[in-house]
PDB file of all heavy atoms in Angstrom:
ATOM      1  N   ARG A   7      70.064 129.991  82.979  1.00  0.00           N
ATOM      2  CA  ARG A   7      70.825 129.297  81.941  1.00  0.00           C
ATOM      3  C   ARG A   7      72.291 129.726  81.980  1.00  0.00           C
ATOM      4  O   ARG A   7      73.192 128.906  81.835  1.00  0.00           O
ATOM      5  CB  ARG A   7      70.224 129.577  80.564  1.00  0.00           C
ATOM      6  CG  ARG A   7      70.896 128.797  79.439  1.00  0.00           C
ATOM      7  CD  ARG A   7      70.038 128.752  78.189  1.00  0.00           C
ATOM      8  NE  ARG A   7      69.646 130.080  77.741  1.00  0.00           N
ATOM      9  CZ  ARG A   7      68.407 130.551  77.808  1.00  0.00           C
ATOM     10  NH1 ARG A   7      67.435 129.824  78.324  1.00  0.00           N
ATOM     11  NH2 ARG A   7      68.122 131.770  77.352  1.00  0.00           N
ATOM     12  N   THR A   8      72.528 131.019  82.197  1.00  0.00           N
ATOM     13  CA  THR A   8      73.901 131.519  82.290  1.00  0.00           C
ATOM     14  C   THR A   8      74.620 130.907  83.486  1.00  0.00           C
ATOM     15  O   THR A   8      75.787 130.521  83.391  1.00  0.00           O
ATOM     16  CB  THR A   8      73.911 133.057  82.410  1.00  0.00           C
ATOM     17  OG1 THR A   8      73.277 133.615  81.256  1.00  0.00           O
ATOM     18  CG2 THR A   8      75.331 133.579  82.523  1.00  0.00           C
ATOM     19  N   ALA A   9      73.922 130.809  84.620  1.00  0.00           N
ATOM     20  CA  ALA A   9      74.514 130.212  85.816  1.00  0.00           C
ATOM     21  C   ALA A   9      74.849 128.741  85.580  1.00  0.00           C
ATOM     22  O   ALA A   9      75.905 128.254  86.008  1.00  0.00           O
ATOM     23  CB  ALA A   9      73.563 130.355  87.000  1.00  0.00           C
ATOM     24  N   GLU A  10      73.957 128.045  84.881  1.00  0.00           N
ATOM     25  CA  GLU A  10      74.199 126.626  84.589  1.00  0.00           C
ATOM     26  C   GLU A  10      75.381 126.461  83.649  1.00  0.00           C
ATOM     27  O   GLU A  10      76.186 125.537  83.801  1.00  0.00           O
ATOM     28  CB  GLU A  10      72.940 125.998  83.977  1.00  0.00           C
ATOM     29  CG  GLU A  10      71.796 125.845  84.970  1.00  0.00           C
ATOM     30  CD  GLU A  10      70.511 125.384  84.296  1.00  0.00           C
ATOM     31  OE1 GLU A  10      70.477 125.366  83.034  1.00  0.00           O
ATOM     32  OE2 GLU A  10      69.550 125.056  85.023  1.00  0.00           O
ATOM     33  N   GLN A  11      75.506 127.357  82.677  1.00  0.00           N
ATOM     34  CA  GLN A  11      76.627 127.297  81.746  1.00  0.00           C
ATOM     35  C   GLN A  11      77.945 127.556  82.473  1.00  0.00           C
ATOM     36  O   GLN A  11      78.954 126.890  82.197  1.00  0.00           O
ATOM     37  CB  GLN A  11      76.435 128.313  80.617  1.00  0.00           C
ATOM     38  CG  GLN A  11      75.314 127.946  79.656  1.00  0.00           C
ATOM     39  CD  GLN A  11      74.995 129.068  78.684  1.00  0.00           C
ATOM     40  OE1 GLN A  11      75.388 130.220  78.869  1.00  0.00           O
ATOM     41  NE2 GLN A  11      74.265 128.732  77.625  1.00  0.00           N
ATOM     42  N   ARG A  12      77.927 128.500  83.398  1.00  0.00           N
ATOM     43  CA  ARG A  12      79.140 128.788  84.170  1.00  0.00           C
ATOM     44  C   ARG A  12      79.515 127.612  85.050  1.00  0.00           C
ATOM     45  O   ARG A  12      80.700 127.269  85.172  1.00  0.00           O
ATOM     46  CB  ARG A  12      78.930 130.047  85.026  1.00  0.00           C
ATOM     47  CG  ARG A  12      78.918 131.354  84.242  1.00  0.00           C
ATOM     48  CD  ARG A  12      78.606 132.522  85.136  1.00  0.00           C
ATOM     49  NE  ARG A  12      78.614 133.770  84.405  1.00  0.00           N
ATOM     50  CZ  ARG A  12      78.153 134.925  84.882  1.00  0.00           C
ATOM     51  NH1 ARG A  12      77.644 134.974  86.112  1.00  0.00           N
ATOM     52  NH2 ARG A  12      78.207 136.029  84.143  1.00  0.00           N
ATOM     53  N   ALA A  13      78.507 126.985  85.659  1.00  0.00           N
ATOM     54  CA  ALA A  13      78.765 125.822  86.508  1.00  0.00           C
ATOM     55  C   ALA A  13      79.337 124.676  85.683  1.00  0.00           C
ATOM     56  O   ALA A  13      80.270 123.982  86.111  1.00  0.00           O
ATOM     57  CB  ALA A  13      77.491 125.386  87.220  1.00  0.00           C
ATOM     58  N   ALA A  14      78.787 124.473  84.477  1.00  0.00           N
ATOM     59  CA  ALA A  14      79.279 123.409  83.608  1.00  0.00           C
ATOM     60  C   ALA A  14      80.712 123.692  83.165  1.00  0.00           C
ATOM     61  O   ALA A  14      81.554 122.786  83.114  1.00  0.00           O
ATOM     62  CB  ALA A  14      78.374 123.259  82.389  1.00  0.00           C
ATOM     63  N   GLN A  15      81.003 124.952  82.860  1.00  0.00           N
ATOM     64  CA  GLN A  15      82.353 125.337  82.464  1.00  0.00           C
ATOM     65  C   GLN A  15      83.329 125.121  83.617  1.00  0.00           C
ATOM     66  O   GLN A  15      84.438 124.608  83.424  1.00  0.00           O
ATOM     67  CB  GLN A  15      82.379 126.798  82.012  1.00  0.00           C
ATOM     68  CG  GLN A  15      83.769 127.341  81.695  1.00  0.00           C
ATOM     69  CD  GLN A  15      84.439 126.625  80.547  1.00  0.00           C
ATOM     70  OE1 GLN A  15      83.758 126.117  79.647  1.00  0.00           O
ATOM     71  NE2 GLN A  15      85.763 126.556  80.568  1.00  0.00           N
ATOM     72  N   ARG A  16      82.908 125.500  84.824  1.00  0.00           N
ATOM     73  CA  ARG A  16      83.777 125.324  85.987  1.00  0.00           C
ATOM     74  C   ARG A  16      84.037 123.847  86.240  1.00  0.00           C
ATOM     75  O   ARG A  16      85.158 123.444  86.565  1.00  0.00           O
ATOM     76  CB  ARG A  16      83.124 125.962  87.229  1.00  0.00           C
ATOM     77  CG  ARG A  16      83.983 125.922  88.478  1.00  0.00           C
ATOM     78  CD  ARG A  16      85.313 126.575  88.234  1.00  0.00           C
ATOM     79  NE  ARG A  16      86.093 126.711  89.460  1.00  0.00           N
ATOM     80  CZ  ARG A  16      87.421 126.752  89.479  1.00  0.00           C
ATOM     81  NH1 ARG A  16      88.112 126.651  88.344  1.00  0.00           N
ATOM     82  NH2 ARG A  16      88.076 126.895  90.612  1.00  0.00           N
ATOM     83  N   ARG A  17      83.017 123.028  86.057  1.00  0.00           N
ATOM     84  CA  ARG A  17      83.171 121.585  86.244  1.00  0.00           C
ATOM     85  C   ARG A  17      84.169 121.015  85.230  1.00  0.00           C
ATOM     86  O   ARG A  17      85.006 120.194  85.575  1.00  0.00           O
ATOM     87  CB  ARG A  17      81.805 120.910  86.105  1.00  0.00           C
ATOM     88  CG  ARG A  17      81.791 119.428  86.436  1.00  0.00           C
ATOM     89  CD  ARG A  17      80.370 118.901  86.300  1.00  0.00           C
ATOM     90  NE  ARG A  17      80.284 117.470  86.446  1.00  0.00           N
ATOM     91  CZ  ARG A  17      80.122 116.838  87.600  1.00  0.00           C
ATOM     92  NH1 ARG A  17      80.034 117.525  88.727  1.00  0.00           N
ATOM     93  NH2 ARG A  17      80.050 115.519  87.645  1.00  0.00           N
ATOM     94  N   ARG A  18      84.080 121.481  83.981  1.00  0.00           N
ATOM     95  CA  ARG A  18      85.042 121.035  82.966  1.00  0.00           C
ATOM     96  C   ARG A  18      86.460 121.441  83.338  1.00  0.00           C
ATOM     97  O   ARG A  18      87.410 120.662  83.158  1.00  0.00           O
ATOM     98  CB  ARG A  18      84.671 121.608  81.588  1.00  0.00           C
ATOM     99  CG  ARG A  18      83.479 120.923  80.936  1.00  0.00           C
ATOM    100  CD  ARG A  18      83.362 121.316  79.466  1.00  0.00           C
ATOM    101  NE  ARG A  18      83.058 122.734  79.309  1.00  0.00           N
ATOM    102  CZ  ARG A  18      81.828 123.229  79.272  1.00  0.00           C
ATOM    103  NH1 ARG A  18      80.788 122.436  79.410  1.00  0.00           N
ATOM    104  NH2 ARG A  18      81.627 124.522  79.107  1.00  0.00           N
ATOM    105  N   GLU A  19      86.613 122.643  83.866  1.00  0.00           N
ATOM    106  CA  GLU A  19      87.942 123.111  84.273  1.00  0.00           C
ATOM    107  C   GLU A  19      88.507 122.249  85.402  1.00  0.00           C
ATOM    108  O   GLU A  19      89.704 121.924  85.417  1.00  0.00           O
ATOM    109  CB  GLU A  19      87.861 124.571  84.710  1.00  0.00           C
ATOM    110  CG  GLU A  19      87.582 125.538  83.565  1.00  0.00           C
ATOM    111  CD  GLU A  19      87.259 126.939  84.053  1.00  0.00           C
ATOM    112  OE1 GLU A  19      87.151 127.126  85.293  1.00  0.00           O
ATOM    113  OE2 GLU A  19      87.094 127.842  83.212  1.00  0.00           O
ATOM    114  N   LEU A  20      87.646 121.883  86.347  1.00  0.00           N
ATOM    115  CA  LEU A  20      88.095 121.031  87.450  1.00  0.00           C
ATOM    116  C   LEU A  20      88.447 119.637  86.952  1.00  0.00           C
ATOM    117  O   LEU A  20      89.420 119.031  87.426  1.00  0.00           O
ATOM    118  CB  LEU A  20      87.016 120.965  88.535  1.00  0.00           C
ATOM    119  CG  LEU A  20      86.723 122.279  89.258  1.00  0.00           C
ATOM    120  CD1 LEU A  20      85.569 122.102  90.246  1.00  0.00           C
ATOM    121  CD2 LEU A  20      87.963 122.785  90.000  1.00  0.00           C
ATOM    122  N   LEU A  21      87.686 119.123  85.998  1.00  0.00           N
ATOM    123  CA  LEU A  21      88.011 117.817  85.422  1.00  0.00           C
ATOM    124  C   LEU A  21      89.311 117.882  84.627  1.00  0.00           C
ATOM    125  O   LEU A  21      90.099 116.921  84.632  1.00  0.00           O
ATOM    126  CB  LEU A  21      86.874 117.326  84.535  1.00  0.00           C
ATOM    127  CG  LEU A  21      85.620 116.850  85.269  1.00  0.00           C
ATOM    128  CD1 LEU A  21      84.506 116.526  84.268  1.00  0.00           C
ATOM    129  CD2 LEU A  21      85.914 115.628  86.136  1.00  0.00           C
ATOM    130  N   ASP A  22      89.563 119.003  83.957  1.00  0.00           N
ATOM    131  CA  ASP A  22      90.842 119.176  83.257  1.00  0.00           C
ATOM    132  C   ASP A  22      91.997 119.126  84.261  1.00  0.00           C
ATOM    133  O   ASP A  22      93.036 118.507  83.992  1.00  0.00           O
ATOM    134  CB  ASP A  22      90.864 120.509  82.512  1.00  0.00           C
ATOM    135  CG  ASP A  22      89.958 120.525  81.284  1.00  0.00           C
ATOM    136  OD1 ASP A  22      89.569 119.436  80.824  1.00  0.00           O
ATOM    137  OD2 ASP A  22      89.633 121.632  80.813  1.00  0.00           O
ATOM    138  N   ALA A  23      91.816 119.795  85.399  1.00  0.00           N
ATOM    139  CA  ALA A  23      92.849 119.776  86.435  1.00  0.00           C
ATOM    140  C   ALA A  23      93.049 118.367  86.972  1.00  0.00           C
ATOM    141  O   ALA A  23      94.184 117.916  87.177  1.00  0.00           O
ATOM    142  CB  ALA A  23      92.472 120.729  87.576  1.00  0.00           C
ATOM    143  N   ALA A  24      91.940 117.661  87.186  1.00  0.00           N
ATOM    144  CA  ALA A  24      92.024 116.276  87.661  1.00  0.00           C
ATOM    145  C   ALA A  24      92.758 115.407  86.650  1.00  0.00           C
ATOM    146  O   ALA A  24      93.581 114.553  87.018  1.00  0.00           O
ATOM    147  CB  ALA A  24      90.631 115.727  87.934  1.00  0.00           C
ATOM    148  N   ASP A  25      92.473 115.603  85.369  1.00  0.00           N
ATOM    149  CA  ASP A  25      93.158 114.841  84.317  1.00  0.00           C
ATOM    150  C   ASP A  25      94.670 115.061  84.375  1.00  0.00           C
ATOM    151  O   ASP A  25      95.451 114.118  84.217  1.00  0.00           O
ATOM    152  CB  ASP A  25      92.639 115.256  82.938  1.00  0.00           C
ATOM    153  CG  ASP A  25      91.613 114.284  82.383  1.00  0.00           C
ATOM    154  OD1 ASP A  25      91.604 113.115  82.812  1.00  0.00           O
ATOM    155  OD2 ASP A  25      90.824 114.691  81.523  1.00  0.00           O
ATOM    156  N   ARG A  26      95.076 116.303  84.593  1.00  0.00           N
ATOM    157  CA  ARG A  26      96.512 116.590  84.638  1.00  0.00           C
ATOM    158  C   ARG A  26      97.171 115.854  85.806  1.00  0.00           C
ATOM    159  O   ARG A  26      98.283 115.332  85.678  1.00  0.00           O
ATOM    160  CB  ARG A  26      96.749 118.098  84.751  1.00  0.00           C
ATOM    161  CG  ARG A  26      96.352 118.866  83.484  1.00  0.00           C
ATOM    162  CD  ARG A  26      96.876 120.292  83.504  1.00  0.00           C
ATOM    163  NE  ARG A  26      96.291 121.113  84.563  1.00  0.00           N
ATOM    164  CZ  ARG A  26      95.169 121.821  84.433  1.00  0.00           C
ATOM    165  NH1 ARG A  26      94.482 121.779  83.288  1.00  0.00           N
ATOM    166  NH2 ARG A  26      94.722 122.562  85.431  1.00  0.00           N
ATOM    167  N   VAL A  27      96.494 115.832  86.944  1.00  0.00           N
ATOM    168  CA  VAL A  27      97.046 115.141  88.111  1.00  0.00           C
ATOM    169  C   VAL A  27      97.077 113.637  87.874  1.00  0.00           C
ATOM    170  O   VAL A  27      98.050 112.959  88.223  1.00  0.00           O
ATOM    171  CB  VAL A  27      96.242 115.484  89.382  1.00  0.00           C
ATOM    172  CG1 VAL A  27      96.725 114.664  90.575  1.00  0.00           C
ATOM    173  CG2 VAL A  27      96.354 116.973  89.689  1.00  0.00           C
ATOM    174  N   VAL A  28      96.026 113.104  87.280  1.00  0.00           N
ATOM    175  CA  VAL A  28      95.977 111.660  87.001  1.00  0.00           C
ATOM    176  C   VAL A  28      97.091 111.273  86.032  1.00  0.00           C
ATOM    177  O   VAL A  28      97.741 110.234  86.203  1.00  0.00           O
ATOM    178  CB  VAL A  28      94.595 111.265  86.446  1.00  0.00           C
ATOM    179  CG1 VAL A  28      94.624 109.837  85.908  1.00  0.00           C
ATOM    180  CG2 VAL A  28      93.535 111.392  87.535  1.00  0.00           C
ATOM    181  N   LEU A  29      97.332 112.096  85.014  1.00  0.00           N
ATOM    182  CA  LEU A  29      98.415 111.809  84.070  1.00  0.00           C
ATOM    183  C   LEU A  29      99.768 111.799  84.777  1.00  0.00           C
ATOM    184  O   LEU A  29     100.674 111.062  84.387  1.00  0.00           O
ATOM    185  CB  LEU A  29      98.420 112.845  82.947  1.00  0.00           C
ATOM    186  CG  LEU A  29      97.347 112.672  81.873  1.00  0.00           C
ATOM    187  CD1 LEU A  29      97.319 113.874  80.943  1.00  0.00           C
ATOM    188  CD2 LEU A  29      97.603 111.406  81.064  1.00  0.00           C
ATOM    189  N   ARG A  30      99.893 112.585  85.818  1.00  0.00           N
ATOM    190  CA  ARG A  30     101.155 112.647  86.570  1.00  0.00           C
ATOM    191  C   ARG A  30     101.255 111.557  87.621  1.00  0.00           C
ATOM    192  O   ARG A  30     102.283 110.902  87.769  1.00  0.00           O
ATOM    193  CB  ARG A  30     101.271 114.025  87.237  1.00  0.00           C
ATOM    194  CG  ARG A  30     102.591 114.269  87.952  1.00  0.00           C
ATOM    195  CD  ARG A  30     102.550 115.578  88.709  1.00  0.00           C
ATOM    196  NE  ARG A  30     101.667 115.507  89.879  1.00  0.00           N
ATOM    197  CZ  ARG A  30     100.872 116.498  90.278  1.00  0.00           C
ATOM    198  NH1 ARG A  30     100.805 117.618  89.585  1.00  0.00           N
ATOM    199  NH2 ARG A  30     100.134 116.361  91.353  1.00  0.00           N
ATOM    200  N   ASP A  31     100.160 111.330  88.362  1.00  0.00           N
ATOM    201  CA  ASP A  31     100.212 110.468  89.553  1.00  0.00           C
ATOM    202  C   ASP A  31      99.524 109.123  89.387  1.00  0.00           C
ATOM    203  O   ASP A  31      99.674 108.249  90.247  1.00  0.00           O
ATOM    204  CB  ASP A  31      99.575 111.193  90.754  1.00  0.00           C
ATOM    205  CG  ASP A  31     100.306 112.477  91.108  1.00  0.00           C
ATOM    206  OD1 ASP A  31     101.465 112.632  90.679  1.00  0.00           O
ATOM    207  OD2 ASP A  31      99.713 113.321  91.801  1.00  0.00           O
ATOM    208  N   GLY A  32      98.742 108.951  88.319  1.00  0.00           N
ATOM    209  CA  GLY A  32      98.049 107.682  88.119  1.00  0.00           C
ATOM    210  C   GLY A  32      97.083 107.377  89.243  1.00  0.00           C
ATOM    211  O   GLY A  32      96.382 108.274  89.749  1.00  0.00           O
ATOM    212  N   PRO A  33      97.028 106.111  89.678  1.00  0.00           N
ATOM    213  CA  PRO A  33      96.074 105.720  90.731  1.00  0.00           C
ATOM    214  C   PRO A  33      96.301 106.441  92.054  1.00  0.00           C
ATOM    215  O   PRO A  33      95.411 106.479  92.893  1.00  0.00           O
ATOM    216  CB  PRO A  33      96.326 104.213  90.894  1.00  0.00           C
ATOM    217  CG  PRO A  33      96.945 103.792  89.615  1.00  0.00           C
ATOM    218  CD  PRO A  33      97.760 104.952  89.151  1.00  0.00           C
ATOM    219  N   GLY A  34      97.484 107.011  92.232  1.00  0.00           N
ATOM    220  CA  GLY A  34      97.766 107.725  93.474  1.00  0.00           C
ATOM    221  C   GLY A  34      97.247 109.152  93.501  1.00  0.00           C
ATOM    222  O   GLY A  34      97.455 109.871  94.482  1.00  0.00           O
ATOM    223  N   ALA A  35      96.561 109.580  92.448  1.00  0.00           N
ATOM    224  CA  ALA A  35      96.021 110.944  92.406  1.00  0.00           C
ATOM    225  C   ALA A  35      95.081 111.167  93.590  1.00  0.00           C
ATOM    226  O   ALA A  35      94.161 110.400  93.815  1.00  0.00           O
ATOM    227  CB  ALA A  35      95.281 111.179  91.097  1.00  0.00           C
ATOM    228  N   SER A  36      95.330 112.229  94.343  1.00  0.00           N
ATOM    229  CA  SER A  36      94.535 112.498  95.544  1.00  0.00           C
ATOM    230  C   SER A  36      93.672 113.729  95.364  1.00  0.00           C
ATOM    231  O   SER A  36      93.924 114.577  94.496  1.00  0.00           O
ATOM    232  CB  SER A  36      95.460 112.717  96.750  1.00  0.00           C
ATOM    233  OG  SER A  36      96.184 113.930  96.591  1.00  0.00           O
ATOM    234  N   MET A  37      92.649 113.833  96.182  1.00  0.00           N
ATOM    235  CA  MET A  37      91.793 115.015  96.154  1.00  0.00           C
ATOM    236  C   MET A  37      92.602 116.264  96.522  1.00  0.00           C
ATOM    237  O   MET A  37      92.385 117.336  95.960  1.00  0.00           O
ATOM    238  CB  MET A  37      90.611 114.838  97.106  1.00  0.00           C
ATOM    239  CG  MET A  37      89.667 113.703  96.719  1.00  0.00           C
ATOM    240  SD  MET A  37      88.751 114.024  95.191  1.00  0.00           S
ATOM    241  CE  MET A  37      87.339 114.953  95.815  1.00  0.00           C
ATOM    242  N   ASN A  38      93.541 116.129  97.442  1.00  0.00           N
ATOM    243  CA  ASN A  38      94.383 117.271  97.818  1.00  0.00           C
ATOM    244  C   ASN A  38      95.184 117.775  96.621  1.00  0.00           C
ATOM    245  O   ASN A  38      95.268 118.986  96.370  1.00  0.00           O
ATOM    246  CB  ASN A  38      95.345 116.875  98.945  1.00  0.00           C
ATOM    247  CG  ASN A  38      94.659 116.815 100.299  1.00  0.00           C
ATOM    248  OD1 ASN A  38      93.711 117.555 100.559  1.00  0.00           O
ATOM    249  ND2 ASN A  38      95.118 115.925 101.168  1.00  0.00           N
ATOM    250  N   ALA A  39      95.796 116.839  95.890  1.00  0.00           N
ATOM    251  CA  ALA A  39      96.608 117.230  94.745  1.00  0.00           C
ATOM    252  C   ALA A  39      95.747 117.850  93.648  1.00  0.00           C
ATOM    253  O   ALA A  39      96.161 118.821  92.992  1.00  0.00           O
ATOM    254  CB  ALA A  39      97.362 116.018  94.209  1.00  0.00           C
ATOM    255  N   ILE A  40      94.564 117.301  93.429  1.00  0.00           N
ATOM    256  CA  ILE A  40      93.678 117.831  92.391  1.00  0.00           C
ATOM    257  C   ILE A  40      93.192 119.224  92.767  1.00  0.00           C
ATOM    258  O   ILE A  40      93.148 120.133  91.922  1.00  0.00           O
ATOM    259  CB  ILE A  40      92.498 116.866  92.161  1.00  0.00           C
ATOM    260  CG1 ILE A  40      93.004 115.557  91.532  1.00  0.00           C
ATOM    261  CG2 ILE A  40      91.427 117.511  91.277  1.00  0.00           C
ATOM    262  CD1 ILE A  40      92.001 114.429  91.542  1.00  0.00           C
TER     263      ILE A  40
END
């Protein structure tokens, strides 16, 4: 359960990073930039 919670938290952090790139780059947001 702890491992799953950490994985879920890490996924949220990565989505937060993706959101920041999308807000900056829009449709041009790339996997490299994220």
